[in-house]
Amino acid sequence: MRRSLLAAAFLAMLSGCGPFWVNPYIAVKESPLNWVNIHYYNMSKKPIHRISVYITGDGYVEVKKGTSDLISNDFAKKYRDDNWGDVKLKRLKISPEDVNNILQNLVNHGVLDKEKTGKKSKKESFSRFIAVKANISNNTYSDNVNIFEEDPDLAEQLLDVIREFDSPTL
């Protein structure tokens, strides 16, 4: 009996029926629970220029830009900083179908792929930083890494999303 259970478990492992790997390349289904939050910093300029784009599955888009720490951190504490009030906020409404297309494009370019291999950039220092957090069809990504370093192709796709809603000089 015990051997048959072990054999069944082993066969299930081989057939891919276990929780060992989740396919990060999924077909995105429209849902108001989907969201993506992209943070971009241009560190070659002083003070650092920041842009944040937050998109929800029901079409709410919030674009924040400026030099304040509040762009990327709602709990920033440097209220005496000269750049504290430098926040420009723009809110937009787009169709859920457009959101779904944006999210599907990001998924197709690996935004949920936590095991990217062979894509890492050879460049040693970066003057730009881009990070993404997302919940897409109950799959999450929230590593706080510089996507320019980890996956330059995905970084360009994320910049394209930012450019869709704001046209800053990047």
Side-chain angles (χ1 to χ4, degrees):
M1 173 82 169
R2 188 174 178 191
R3 285 185 187 166
S4 63
L5 286 174
L6 288 173
F10 181 71
L11 287 175
M13 254 183 11
L14 288 178
S15 66
C17 295
F20 301 105
W21 186 72
V22 176
N23 184 5
Y25 299 95
I26 57 172
V28 178
K29 295 181 176 89
E30 283 185 32
S31 169
L33 300 176
N34 290 340
W35 57 267
V36 66
N37 196 358
I38 306 167
H39 295 279
Y40 172 81
Y41 310 143
N42 186 342
M43 297 176 286
S44 65
K45 299 179 180 180
K46 297 295 177 194
I48 296 173
H49 290 267
R50 306 165 198 270
I51 300 172
S52 172
V53 175
Y54 176 68
I55 306 170
T56 64
D58 59 355
Y60 173 77
V61 180
E62 182 178 272
V63 180
K64 292 192 282 185
K65 75 181 216 178
T67 57
S68 175
D69 286 346
L70 290 170
I71 304 297
S72 55
N73 181 2
D74 290 332
F75 301 101
K77 296 180 181 180
K78 297 180 185 176
Y79 63 90
R80 293 189 180 168
D81 191 8
D82 291 340
N83 301 322
W84 179 258
D86 184 18
V87 178
K88 294 165 192 75
L89 177 65
K90 180 169 52 172
R91 292 185 175 129
L92 307 162
K93 181 74 172 145
I94 62 174
S95 73
E97 296 85 21
D98 289 338
V99 173
N100 205 58
N101 290 337
I102 291 168
L103 297 179
Q104 187 65 61
N105 183 48
L106 292 177
V107 166
N108 292 348
H109 283 90
V111 76
L112 298 174
D113 192 351
K114 296 176 183 172
E115 299 176 10
K116 295 180 185 94
T117 57
K119 296 182 179 180
K120 197 165 191 160
S121 174
K122 307 275 189 261
K123 191 173 175 182
E124 290 184 18
S125 68
F126 292 85
S127 61
R128 302 185 303 167
F129 176 89
I130 195 162
V132 63
K133 295 181 182 190
N135 179 45
I136 302 171
S137 297
N138 293 323
N139 296 285
T140 60
Y141 179 86
S142 64
D143 291 343
N144 197 18
V145 298
N146 188 354
I147 304 294
F148 282 115
E149 293 176 23
E150 298 296 317
D151 188 351
D153 295 333
L154 176 59
E156 288 303 318
Q157 293 301 316
L158 294 168
L159 280 175
D160 285 345
V161 171
I162 290 173
R163 289 179 187 122
E164 280 186 53
F165 300 104
D166 188 57
S167 55
T169 304
L170 301 175

